[in-house]
Amino acid sequence: MGRLDHVHIRVPNRAEAARWYAEHLGFEPVERFDFWANGFEGGPLQMSADGGRTMLALFEASEGHPMVRQTLGVAFSLDADGFIAFARSLPCGIASPSGQPLAVDDVVDFDLCWAFNLVDPWGNQYELNCYEYDRIKTELIDADGVEPERYWPREQYRDFRNS
């Protein structure tokens, strides 16, 4: 199958969405795909935060392509430096799935990684993950006194590892 290439995201205004993704998540248009965005009506604007290896394809909602929010969630992986910088920038105009401003204490401890769940202004859901677990624990969680969320008891993970 290969790697994840891109995810289709519908937005009411592609230019406004492109500005938001650039400002808040560091995405930039991928120049080699300009034809799709500008060569014909309804084409996607390919945006990436990793030089085009993985992308969001922003489609402007229309009668033929109605606004359908991405609710399954799309997950992106950050290195520890990027994850810590993102966490320390909060709150910064990004919402949590509850609609409240995303805050550093919204970080989720998944035992194997750390994650933030967020939504764009149009309700599309995303997850930002970092798999450098020990470094995040030391340099962010412990250093800043962050109280992370947990979805299951820590003992469940310990029991699994010991079985």
Side-chain angles (χ1 to χ4, degrees):
M1 291 295 291
R3 64 173 175 75
L4 175 66
D5 183 75
H6 69 276
V7 177
H8 294 201
I9 302 296
R10 302 256 173 91
V11 294
N13 181 304
R14 199 175 64 179
E16 180 183 336
R19 282 189 296 278
W20 188 89
Y21 281 97
E23 178 182 340
H24 294 288
L25 300 178
F27 280 77
E28 299 175 338
V30 180
E31 189 175 321
R32 72 179 182 266
F33 299 114
D34 278 350
F35 169 71
W36 290 345
N38 301 310
F40 59 95
E41 189 173 332
L45 173 60
Q46 301 288 112
M47 296 194 68
S48 178
D50 65 3
R53 290 185 305 275
T54 53
M55 297 172 281
L56 296 179
L58 300 181
F59 285 89
E60 194 157 306
S62 66
E63 186 176 314
H65 294 95
M67 183 67 202
V68 177
R69 288 180 180 88
Q70 173 57 260
T71 58
L72 298 176
V74 174
F76 291 95
S77 184
L78 297 173
D79 65 17
D81 291 333
F83 194 85
I84 291 168
F86 178 82
R88 289 185 174 151
S89 77
L90 297 173
C92 64
I94 298 175
S96 70
S98 70
Q100 299 300 311
L102 189 66
V104 69
D105 285 333
D106 291 324
V107 67
V108 180
D109 181 349
F110 281 118
D111 295 305
L112 301 171
C113 75
W114 299 93
F116 282 103
N117 295 303
L118 59 102
V119 296
D120 71 11
W122 306 279
N124 295 299
Q125 296 185 22
Y126 297 96
E127 183 176 272
L128 300 180
N129 294 323
C130 182
Y131 290 92
E132 295 177 58
Y133 187 89
D134 293 335
R135 185 164 168 216
I136 297 301
K137 173 102 171 76
T138 301
E139 295 180 28
L140 177 68
I141 304 303
D142 295 342
D144 293 7
V146 175
E147 295 290 330
E149 292 187 34
R150 292 194 59 83
Y151 294 164
W152 53 79
R154 183 172 300 283
E155 295 75 32
Q156 192 169 343
Y157 175 66
R158 287 186 189 136
D159 292 346
F160 174 80
R161 286 194 51 142
N162 293 329
S163 62

